[in-house]
Amino acid sequence: MQRFRKKPLTASVSAVLIGLLLPYSSLAAQQEQVQEPLEDDDIEVIEVSYGYGSVKKKDLTGAVSSVKLDDVVDMPSGNIMQNLQGRVPGLQISTNGSPESTATVRIRGQGLGPLGNNDPLYVIDGIPTKSGMHELNSHDIADIQVLRDAAAASIFGARSGNGVIVITTKKGHEGLDFNFSANQSQDDYSYDLNPLNTQQRGQAVWQAAVNDGSNPNSASSLYRYDWNGDFSNPQLNAVILPTYTDPQQVQRPADTNWFDEVTRTAKVSDLNISLSGGSENASIYTSLGYFNSEGVVDGSEFERISFRVNSDYQLTDKLKIGENFTVTNQESNLINARASEILGLAIEQQSIVPVYNDEGGWGGPVPGVTDRDNPVRIIEMNRDNVSRFNKLMGNIFFEYELIDGLTLKSTVGLDYGQYYFRNYTRAFQAGSLNYGDQLSVTENWNSSFSWTNTAEYKLDVGDNHSFTFLAGTEQIDYEYEGSVGFGSGFASDDRDYAHLSQATGDVRVEGDGDKWTLDSYFARMDYNFDDRYLAGLTIRRDGSSRFGSNNSYGNFPAASAGWVISNESFYDFEFLSTLKVRASWGKTGNQEIPTDATYTTYLSRYATQSLFTDQQDEGTAYDIGGANGGTLPSGFVKAQTGNDDLKWETSTQKNIGIDFGMHYDTIYGSIDWFEKTTEDILTLTNPIATLGEGAQQWVNGGTIENAGFEFIIGYADYLSFDSLDDDIDVDISFNVSSAKNKVVSLPKDVVNSFGGNGADKTIVGHSINSVYGYVADGLFQNQGEIDAHAVQSGAGLGRVRWQDLDGNGVINENDQTFFADTDPDFIYGMNMNFKYKSWDFTMFWQGVKGGQIRNGWRGFTDFTSLNIGSNYGDRVLNAWSSSNTDTDVPALTAIDNNGEGRQSSLFWEEGTYLKLRNLSIGYTPDEQWLSHYGISSARIYFQGSNLLTITPSGTLTQDPETPNGTFPNPKRFTLGVNLTF
């Protein structure tokens, strides 16, 4: 079959497609499609980074996705994974608005959920790591491949059970280019929870007391009420506030808008310069990047400075040497980590509490107010609590061509991180809260050293048979050491004075360490017959020091095959220009357990207060001399039971895929179906207390199945319009994927860690992310409904009605079930790129359908009984009453007789959303004009992120992606420029 160039689209089939996408455009007059066969030299050969080497994209037989980095080039580069959200089928990414740009990445579903390790393996320039990608300068990345199935990932064996993300950084090229890029962003966010002001909260307390039939003037020390005293027809005339709210009479009633006090418009700066060049025998790429991100929570900030140099040199015709090296310095203050707490307090803290009292001290809780901290105090006293993390990652490689087609390569890599954090809390008084000073100093380092040796042989037999053989070994040595010192009682609260040597009390030090080794052997064979029949075989054998000698090694094989049907001589379907079928099977492993998991361990506890009584000390120290003080000899307590039989966790995965192209590949796509079974899951038991101390144990526990599909379709071509004097370059793609999770079996100790009754109702047969509890069934509207319902303690008008699931006429603990799970039905994304002359326009939508999220804020927005001393949301103003029955907010009360704070469907809602993730417009000036200024290329752009969120009717959560106290995702507007000289 011949291959053809794309021409401006005017054919009728494509006209229909574009007519749907662009209903207001006018297509050029229809003309006959001109077909120009491509010569082999004209065909673009795309190589994909793929397990210690590369392979031509057309020869892939596994499920591998290549990321279009041009689609995310405008977005600030705190973390490249955040920018890939919704762009790759089967890649589920959850983000939040933290300045540190963290992201939770899942390949093909949530996998083991809370049971075990779910993170993918990252391989950066051949160096395997589990580190977060916020440590990497996104501008340095040249290529990202997502290895989704076992056939693609199994060559990485030991840590590839959750998929692999292969990242290749930029290399130099002939000539010399200097690039400068910069963008500036502004972030904004506002909650729609609307906490009550001081007068409104007083009214809510009055209404709750009246509903309960109690005297409102006895409900709270914060309010007195002028009302008619008639419970049958109550009328409130005024809410009267005291002169002072605290016994010391230094804190007057306020009307604080806590959310405004702790949030701000934030700025993000992203600057990068790079130099790329080379000659026939050498190349170099070097860059310097600066990223500074403020958060919408006042005071939160993250800063990263990164430097990279990649180079290679052809010493002889046979020998090539090179290196990839990067170093980063990251600084982050404690407000980032406490931002969710700060925002939660901004909702929970009553507005009657002032930021500062009359004496200039901190405002805080008083009688009638829950004992929650002042969120402004947390911000102001943690601005200078800054941690520093330094990362050094790099490798040196030697590549030698022994004979034609046979290449030997040896690579030595290092992934090193060092962390330092001096956290000083000054003594403070805030209302009834009174805390002394405290200092903790944390230092740790970790080092992962890898040595990889490979031999790759490419062999062509005749005109049709092509073989690639790869064999190799890999050694990884990991080491960690950390310490933390504590102290208190400083003579000055000056941070420059507060060092451990100046502490006068509670001085102590703790430390720990870790060390493990991986010893691996692997081989792969790829075969291509006449670009029609493809096959691949992989085997990897991993040995881990984390397991006992009997089970230290695990074997991970894989096999795959492909048939390019469209290259067969009998194939004659011009409309379906490309058709390829793929199938694969393979096993991957996981060893993510503590290094002491196989051992019985003991700990010394100098002094530990019992959780159950203040008369019992659970520590292991004993005052033999009866001195009642001083340093005591400490014994040991059993902390964990060893397991000599612990072995590798293994995932077996099957995949069937189809790649297709229509209308000379202007329309392209693929569909994959997969099934993954994870056995011998490595998990820590949670045994019942009667088994005694140290009964918990690491075990190979249970089996979980994941199954689903992934689909992507795209359209790329040029459009001609009569009204325009040039073509429009169009690239539109849509992807959707789904992954269902089911627990097949679990050990008893693990089953009892989840919801259920341990007998006929367990999580087995459900998703590992299932939720267990009561099912809410609206509100009781009248006495007749109460009488007709099962016996329910706490039933009353306007109270939540619980379903009688077992039908025995009584609401009790047996009326619980698995009513929801957090797994989405499917995730999807749609990207649209248009280019016309010097202008480009991009719009990207991302969404989630289904899955449940917990709206914990309902405890504040809907109830006055679940947290008596907190503030409430304005939904309580629409609470049920005899004159307001068309509401889902229960009647106000000060007493939770109905157990409405229990785990139930009341707090859970659908996690469906659709977001306009990105909208961008860019302009590229004419190169001839730029050349007068010594500029070879330039682009200026403006873009917005998280501009719109659409949720189903009835969804109370403002952003289902970040429910409850998570650092929210802000709206972001970015202006940037990119120059190359």
Side-chain angles (χ1 to χ4, degrees):
M1 179 181 177
Q2 291 183 316
R3 289 156 289 192
F4 302 92
R5 294 185 189 276
K6 298 175 186 176
K7 285 292 186 180
L9 180 66
T10 52
S12 58
V13 173
S14 299
V16 172
L17 174 63
I18 300 305
L20 293 173
L21 296 172
L22 302 171
Y24 302 105
S25 66
S26 174
L27 291 174
Q30 182 175 332
Q31 62 183 24
E32 183 180 357
Q33 180 74 35
V34 180
Q35 301 176 357
E36 296 181 2
L38 285 173
E39 300 296 333
D40 286 342
D41 291 341
D42 293 333
I43 301 171
E44 182 183 10
V45 177
I46 301 175
E47 297 231 332
V48 175
S49 301
Y50 180 59
Y52 305 98
S54 60
V55 64
K56 294 178 182 178
K57 189 174 182 179
K58 66 184 182 64
D59 293 341
L60 286 173
T61 52
V64 179
S65 292
S66 300
V67 175
K68 292 183 179 180
L69 292 178
D70 288 344
D71 291 343
V72 297
V73 68
D74 292 352
M75 306 176 72
S77 56
N79 185 340
I80 189 64
M81 300 313 299
Q82 278 194 328
N83 299 345
L84 301 186
Q85 189 174 23
R87 298 182 182 271
V88 179
L91 186 65
Q92 184 177 350
I93 300 175
S94 301
T95 67
N96 59 49
S98 171
E100 295 177 322
S101 302
T102 54
T104 300
V105 179
R106 299 290 180 260
I107 297 177
R108 293 190 159 176
Q110 291 291 334
L112 306 182
L115 194 63
N117 175 56
N118 294 272
D119 296 324
L121 174 69
Y122 299 92
V123 180
I124 304 172
D125 290 328
I127 302 174
T129 180
K130 287 278 189 174
S131 297
M133 290 299 99
H134 62 284
E135 301 166 4
L136 192 66
N137 182 356
S138 300
H139 295 285
D140 291 336
I141 297 175
D143 179 72
I144 299 178
Q145 309 295 332
V146 182
L147 314 185
R148 308 193 308 271
D149 72 340
S154 64
I155 196 166
F156 294 106
R159 295 184 284 176
S160 63
N162 298 309
V164 180
I165 297 176
V166 181
I167 296 175
T168 306
T169 57
K170 293 178 180 178
K171 305 298 187 288
H173 55 77
E174 287 196 34
L176 186 65
D177 287 333
F178 175 78
N179 179 268
F180 169 78
S181 63
N183 60 60
Q184 183 74 41
S185 302
Q186 180 173 292
D187 292 355
D188 283 294
Y189 188 84
S190 61
Y191 270 127
D192 62 2
L193 295 173
N194 302 322
L196 302 180
N197 61 35
T198 301
Q199 283 289 323
Q200 288 172 328
R201 188 183 184 279
Q203 295 170 19
V205 171
W206 172 80
Q207 186 65 63
V210 169
N211 289 349
D212 293 338
S214 61
N215 182 6
N217 286 311
S218 300
S220 173
S221 59
L222 300 175
Y223 314 105
R224 289 293 178 267
Y225 299 101
D226 177 7
W227 71 298
N228 64 359
D230 185 357
F231 286 95
S232 300
N233 185 29
Q235 293 183 2
L236 177 64
N237 301 317
V239 177
I240 304 170
L241 303 177
T243 304
Y244 293 95
T245 59
D246 64 320
Q248 294 77 25
Q249 296 190 344
V250 297
Q251 192 163 297
R252 297 177 184 272
D255 199 9
T256 308
N257 186 322
W258 286 106
F259 185 84
D260 288 350
E261 293 287 343
V262 302
T263 58
R264 65 180 175 186
T265 297
K267 298 177 182 179
V268 180
S269 300
D270 185 14
L271 307 174
N272 195 77
I273 57 175
S274 66
L275 183 68
S276 179
S279 62
E280 183 178 352
N281 295 322
S283 69
I284 185 171
Y285 170 85
T286 184
S287 72
L288 180 65
Y290 175 76
F291 180 79
N292 181 274
S293 176
E294 298 177 344
V296 292
V297 175
D298 190 20
S300 59
E301 187 173 10
F302 172 79
E303 181 182 73
R304 182 187 65 215
I305 300 175
S306 62
F307 171 76
R308 172 173 289 278
V309 57
N310 296 343
S311 63
D312 60 72
Y313 184 72
Q314 193 78 40
L315 283 176
T316 69
D317 292 341
K318 299 289 187 180
L319 179 61
K320 180 180 181 180
I321 64 173
E323 56 76 33
N324 303 284
F325 172 85
T326 185
V327 59
T328 63
N329 179 78
Q330 298 177 182
E331 294 189 355
S332 175
N333 63 27
L334 189 60
I335 301 173
N336 295 330
R338 300 190 67 175
S340 296
E341 174 192 1
I342 291 167
L343 288 174
L345 288 170
I347 306 301
E348 186 177 357
Q349 186 61 275
Q350 292 188 39
S351 59
I352 199 172
V353 176
V355 176
Y356 302 99
N357 61 31
D358 287 357
E359 297 182 342
W362 295 109
V366 294
V369 175
T370 189
D371 60 344
R372 297 297 185 264
D373 205 347
N374 181 328
V376 176
R377 184 207 67 78
I378 296 176
I379 291 174
E380 296 303 322
M381 298 183 72
N382 283 289
R383 289 182 185 270
D384 53 4
N385 280 330
V386 178
S387 64
R388 183 179 69 248
F389 179 73
N390 299 114
K391 187 178 185 68
L392 188 154
M393 175 182 281
N395 60 22
I396 301 173
F397 65 87
F398 301 84
E399 195 171 285
Y400 184 74
E401 187 178 6
L402 186 62
I403 59 175
D404 288 344
L406 177 59
T407 303
L408 306 180
K409 185 174 183 179
S410 182
T411 304
V412 176
L414 177 67
D415 181 6
Y416 178 86
Q418 187 164 350
Y419 177 81
Y420 173 80
F421 182 34
R422 185 159 64 97
N423 180 13
Y424 177 49
T425 302
R426 297 170 175 84
F428 71 91
Q429 174 85 38
S432 60
L433 299 179
N434 185 2
Y435 287 93
D437 59 10
Q438 185 178 48
L439 172 70
S440 66
V441 180
T442 303
E443 293 187 79
N444 62 59
W445 62 268
N446 65 84
S447 172
S448 179
F449 177 84
S450 61
W451 184 27
T452 307
N453 298 283
T454 61
E456 186 179 52
Y457 183 51
K458 295 182 180 292
L459 174 65
D460 292 332
V461 180
D463 294 332
N464 296 327
H465 301 276
S466 297
F467 294 87
T468 300
F469 300 95
L470 176 75
T473 65
E474 187 169 65
Q475 180 81 20
I476 299 177
D477 295 305
Y478 175 86
E479 191 169 358
Y480 162 87
E481 187 171 328
S483 63
V484 56
F486 301 90
S488 62
F490 295 92
S492 169
D493 68 355
D494 188 335
R495 182 180 177 82
D496 293 334
Y497 177 86
H499 290 270
L500 289 175
S501 61
Q502 304 301 319
T504 60
D506 192 29
V507 179
R508 68 187 193 280
V509 66
E510 300 173 359
D512 62 345
D514 195 12
K515 189 174 184 179
W516 54 264
T517 299
L518 271 175
D519 182 33
S520 306
Y521 309 87
F522 53 87
R524 188 178 73 212
M525 187 275 290
D526 293 315
Y527 171 68
N528 181 327
F529 175 71
D530 195 29
D531 287 337
R532 290 183 288 159
Y533 308 114
L534 312 170
L537 295 173
T538 302
I539 181 67
R540 177 158 177 145
R541 179 171 172 82
D542 280 312
S544 173
S545 63
R546 298 187 183 190
F547 302 105
S549 58
N550 294 334
N551 298 306
S552 58
Y553 278 88
N555 299 317
F556 306 102
S560 60
W563 180 22
V564 187
I565 304 174
S566 54
N567 283 349
E568 293 286 1
S569 59
F570 61 78
Y571 190 85
D572 190 23
F573 297 94
E574 290 189 0
F575 177 71
L576 191 60
S577 49
T578 299
L579 182 61
K580 175 181 175 182
V581 179
R582 298 174 281 105
S584 67
W585 171 94
K587 292 189 175 184
T588 52
N590 174 42
Q591 54 122 33
E592 298 300 321
I593 53 174
T595 54
D596 62 0
T598 59
Y599 300 97
T600 298
T601 59
Y602 296 85
L603 297 175
S604 59
R605 298 173 181 163
Y606 188 77
T608 304
Q609 187 63 49
S610 170
L611 296 176
F612 308 105
T613 172
D614 58 6
Q615 300 298 317
Q616 181 181 356
D617 187 344
E618 299 294 330
T620 57
Y622 187 71
D623 189 7
I624 297 177
N628 197 29
T631 301
L632 305 179
S634 181
F636 293 86
V637 63
K638 186 178 179 182
Q640 172 184 288
T641 300
N643 185 354
D644 294 331
D645 297 323
L646 205 62
K647 58 184 178 180
W648 286 88
E649 174 185 306
T650 303
S651 296
T652 303
Q653 189 170 172
K654 295 176 284 187
N655 191 95
I656 298 174
I658 299 174
D659 301 328
F660 60 87
M662 296 184 288
H663 197 68
Y664 313 111
D665 290 349
T666 56
I667 300 173
Y668 58 89
S670 67
I671 184 169
D672 283 86
W673 170 88
F674 68 91
E675 185 177 85
K676 176 181 176 182
T677 302
T678 303
E679 301 174 290
D680 299 322
I681 298 168
L682 295 166
T683 189
L684 186 64
T685 63
N686 186 20
I688 58 177
T690 55
L691 295 179
E693 289 183 329
Q696 68 176 11
Q697 182 183 49
W698 281 94
V699 298
N700 290 107
T703 301
I704 287 181
E705 290 182 353
N706 269 32
F709 73 90
E710 297 150 354
F711 174 69
I712 184 170
I713 188 169
Y715 165 79
D717 208 342
Y718 298 91
L719 302 182
S720 296
F721 295 85
D722 289 337
S723 58
L724 300 177
D725 57 5
D726 203 350
D727 297 333
I728 297 179
D729 185 358
V730 178
D731 189 347
I732 301 173
S733 63
F734 172 79
N735 74 83
V736 60
S737 58
S738 176
K740 295 299 181 182
N741 180 290
K742 183 174 71 173
V743 180
V744 177
S745 65
L746 287 178
K748 184 176 181 180
D749 285 345
V750 177
V751 169
N752 290 336
S753 298
F754 299 90
N757 57 16
D760 60 316
K761 290 184 179 181
T762 70
I763 200 169
V764 175
H766 301 274
S767 166
I768 193 64
N769 303 302
S770 295
V771 184
Y772 185 81
Y774 294 85
V775 179
D777 187 23
L779 306 178
F780 289 112
Q781 299 292 338
N782 51 61
Q783 189 61 43
E785 290 185 2
I786 298 174
D787 296 339
H789 187 58
V791 176
Q792 176 178 317
S793 176
L797 295 178
R799 302 265 57 84
V800 177
R801 176 172 50 207
W802 309 112
Q803 285 190 13
D804 183 18
L805 297 181
D806 63 359
N808 68 350
V810 178
I811 301 300
N812 55 30
E813 62 185 15
N814 296 324
D815 294 304
Q816 297 183 79
T817 189
F818 290 94
F819 60 81
D821 68 68
T822 60
D823 301 325
D825 296 333
F826 56 85
I827 58 177
Y828 59 97
M830 183 172 68
N831 194 57
M832 293 179 282
N833 293 324
F834 302 93
K835 292 182 180 179
Y836 177 71
K837 291 187 175 181
S838 298
W839 294 91
D840 59 81
F841 172 80
T842 298
M843 181 166 59
F844 175 61
W845 295 83
Q846 180 264 332
V848 169
K849 175 64 174 70
Q852 297 284 308
I853 57 171
R854 190 177 193 277
N855 182 4
W857 291 126
R858 289 197 72 173
F860 299 112
T861 62
D862 289 26
F863 296 91
T864 53
S865 58
L866 300 185
N867 197 344
I868 294 295
S870 74
N871 201 358
Y872 314 128
D874 65 352
R875 280 173 54 85
V876 302
L877 303 179
N878 187 39
W880 189 97
S881 68
S882 58
S883 60
N884 182 40
T885 60
D886 187 19
T887 178
D888 60 351
V889 181
L892 301 186
T893 179
I895 307 170
D896 184 25
N897 290 326
N898 199 33
E900 288 166 355
R902 70 182 72 180
Q903 175 71 291
S904 74
S905 62
L906 182 71
F907 293 94
W908 290 80
E909 57 191 43
E910 191 174 357
T912 297
Y913 68 82
L914 173 62
K915 288 191 176 187
L916 179 55
R917 282 288 181 191
N918 187 254
L919 193 65
S920 173
I921 186 170
Y923 177 73
T924 302
D926 181 73
E927 291 183 4
Q928 186 174 359
W929 178 80
L930 290 172
S931 63
H932 294 295
Y933 303 94
I935 303 173
S936 59
S937 66
R939 181 171 176 270
I940 186 171
Y941 58 88
F942 179 74
Q943 67 99 13
S945 301
N946 299 318
L947 300 179
L948 177 66
T949 300
I950 302 172
T951 57
S953 175
T955 300
L956 298 178
T957 301
Q958 182 173 346
D959 184 359
E961 186 181 11
T962 56
N964 307 319
T966 309
F967 205 126
N969 282 315
K971 290 182 180 179
R972 172 172 292 175
F973 297 93
T974 303
L975 179 65
V977 63
N978 193 312
L979 304 174
T980 301
F981 301 87

